[in-house]
Amino acid sequence: MGTTSSTRVPERRYGRSSDRDADRTLKIVGAVLGALLLLLVGYFAYHYVGQNKISAQVIAFQAEDDAVSVHLEVHKDAGTSGYCTIRSQAADGSEVGRADFRFTGSATRVDKVVTLRTTARGTTAELLGCHAD
């Protein structure tokens, strides 16, 4: 007697093939969307980090009644020009001064003291950011 074995799975036991097709489609769509998200994050990271050619930090500051002297250390690519924005706040948190300070030239490190004029006595000197031209 010959017996034949069937390679078909029993009906309704392992789910319908349309469910498997939907799962496969969802996996493909998820993989494509995940890859697009990674590309988008990489693009913005490159343009933020790669294009920011000026960075700086406040080393020290000295407050007076109508100004704040700010010691800045700026690192930039040779030949890059741009500016850094600094602000000062009073003891109550109100902003009493804000200004942009330009940096040009071939030096890659600029160590400079700048004066920020204020409308009242400032208690802070905060670097808001630097931008290349």
Side-chain angles (χ1 to χ4, degrees):
M1 258 207 246
T3 60
T4 59
S5 63
S6 173
T7 57
R8 290 185 51 175
V9 295
E11 289 294 321
R12 297 184 207 168
R13 188 169 195 181
Y14 298 104
R16 295 186 306 234
S17 64
S18 62
D19 289 343
R20 284 183 293 215
D21 292 342
D23 287 347
R24 184 170 184 245
T25 302
L26 284 174
K27 287 178 184 178
I28 291 171
V29 169
V32 169
L33 289 176
L36 287 174
L37 180 63
L38 282 175
L39 286 173
L40 187 65
V41 168
Y43 173 80
F44 284 114
Y46 169 76
H47 282 285
Y48 179 75
V49 175
Q51 302 301 319
N52 192 7
K53 298 177 181 176
I54 298 178
S55 65
Q57 63 182 352
V58 174
I59 301 299
F61 69 92
Q62 176 75 39
E64 300 170 14
D65 288 338
D66 61 350
V68 176
S69 297
V70 183
H71 181 184
L72 279 179
E73 182 179 86
V74 180
H75 297 273
K76 62 183 189 67
D77 291 345
T80 299
S81 62
Y83 63 93
C84 293
T85 304
I86 298 174
R87 80 169 176 178
S88 182
Q89 293 176 303
D92 65 1
S94 63
E95 185 173 284
V96 294
R98 178 187 295 238
D100 294 333
F101 295 98
R102 299 204 54 76
F103 298 96
T104 59
S106 61
T108 58
R109 181 178 175 271
V110 178
D111 204 8
K112 188 173 183 179
V113 175
V114 295
T115 302
L116 172 63
R117 298 286 174 206
T118 59
T119 57
R121 186 171 187 84
T123 59
T124 65
E126 180 181 6
L127 177 66
L128 296 179
C130 296
H131 304 281
D133 289 336

